Amino acid sequence: FALDFVQTSLQAESSSGEAALSVPSGGGFLSGIDIPLMLYFFFWYLGNYYYNVTNKLALRAAGGSSGFPMMISSLQLGVGSLYALFLWLAPDARSKPSITLADVKKMLPVAFCAMGAHSASVFALSAGAVSFGQIVKAAEPAFAAVLAQFVYGKKVSKAKWFCLPIIIGGVVLASVKELDFAVSALVSACIANLFAAFKGNENKKLMETPGIKDRLGSVGNQFAVVSILAFLMSIPLVLIKGESFSAFVEVYKANPVVSTNLLL
């Protein structure tokens, strides 16, 4: 939850271009560098590292892809949702959004894509090595560019198109050398990329809605609402896969790494 929030905040900072500099513009080697943005990058990568490691350990302890990947994925969203509700209820923590039912309906596509990207990513980690999952997910910019150009009608610059063969080629070469290759992990990671690309484009459409930024109040509130909706949408996946909650509770009690993963 925290990692995704940092990513959402990073996107907001970079898209708005309004992040304030923490150093004066008058000199020094840090002059002109957006320190808050650099910190977002640092914590994003640091959080991504620990998230993937702890996630893999928890998924392995819970039986891998045949165990409880959708249960873990859903409960991760659930823990984030509880934290969001706590911030709204706690005194002087975060003001509640004043969104309407129409706003919530417009947020459903973003929430569905967020749920799909998260669930598919977790399943990819459960089916294959962390390295392989990250290799395939590195191709996400290619998915985003294709969707933006041909589905959403957003022009992609020639410079970005020229970068894509390098990204795709690197992914292909790294995948060929990967010893722990799994077709299910490949397919799941590609599905996660597709959902993530749709999420980015749908989020841009959402933010173009007149007044919605004011009604949400903050990036944190936007992410909180999306996370709650994504959690509710993830519950049917757990039921469809047939993962038993009572059996998962036993695994949860017996493996501290699983409980740690959900809390972090």
Side-chain angles (χ1 to χ4, degrees), residues 38-126:
M38 293 299 102
L39 289 175
Y40 275 133
F41 272 117
F42 172 77
F43 286 114
W44 182 18
Y45 279 102
L46 182 66
N48 190 55
Y49 168 78
Y50 282 106
Y51 168 78
N52 283 294
V53 171
T54 59
N55 221 13
K56 182 61 181 180
L57 292 174
L59 290 164
R60 182 183 296 169
S65 59
S66 59
F68 304 91
M70 292 300 97
M71 183 74 72
I72 290 176
S73 171
S74 181
L75 289 177
Q76 286 173 348
L77 293 172
V79 170
S81 299
L82 289 176
Y83 178 67
L85 293 174
F86 166 76
L87 290 180
W88 287 336
L89 296 174
D92 302 322
R94 178 185 294 166
S95 59
K96 302 181 185 68
S98 57
I99 53 176
T100 63
L101 181 59
D103 292 332
V104 174
K105 290 180 179 179
K106 290 181 179 179
M107 298 178 76
L108 291 179
V110 179
F112 180 76
C113 293
M115 179 276 296
H118 180 70
S119 299
S121 296
V122 172
F123 189 85
L125 281 175
S126 72

Side-chain angles (χ1 to χ4, degrees), residues 142-264:
F143 286 78
V146 171
L147 284 177
Q149 180 77 44
F150 299 106
V151 177
Y152 291 91
K154 304 291 185 180
K155 186 177 180 180
V156 178
S157 66
K158 291 182 179 179
K160 292 180 180 179
W161 281 118
F162 285 136
C163 290
L164 294 184
I166 301 174
I167 296 173
I168 296 172
V171 170
V172 171
L173 289 175
S175 298
V176 170
K177 294 181 179 179
E178 177 59 54
L179 298 178
D180 192 5
F181 181 88
V183 175
S184 56
L186 172 64
V187 173
S188 299
C190 287
I191 292 174
N193 284 344
L194 189 62
F195 272 117
F198 271 114
K199 176 191 172 186
N201 284 283
E202 287 296 328
N203 192 62
K204 289 180 181 178
K205 286 177 55 180
L206 175 67
M207 290 297 100
E208 292 173 358
T209 303
I212 195 168
K213 289 184 180 180
D214 295 330
R215 292 192 292 273
L216 283 169
S218 66
V219 175
N221 278 345
Q222 177 196 354
F223 185 76
V225 175
V226 168
S227 295
I228 293 171
L229 294 174
F231 166 64
L232 297 175
M233 293 177 178
S234 70
I235 295 175
L237 289 181
V238 181
L239 301 177
I240 291 172
K241 193 172 181 295
E243 297 176 4
S244 170
F245 183 74
S246 58
F248 175 77
V249 170
E250 297 302 318
V251 173
Y252 179 90
K253 292 178 180 178
N255 296 277
V257 66
V258 178
S259 58
T260 301
N261 172 259
L262 291 180
L263 293 177
L264 295 180

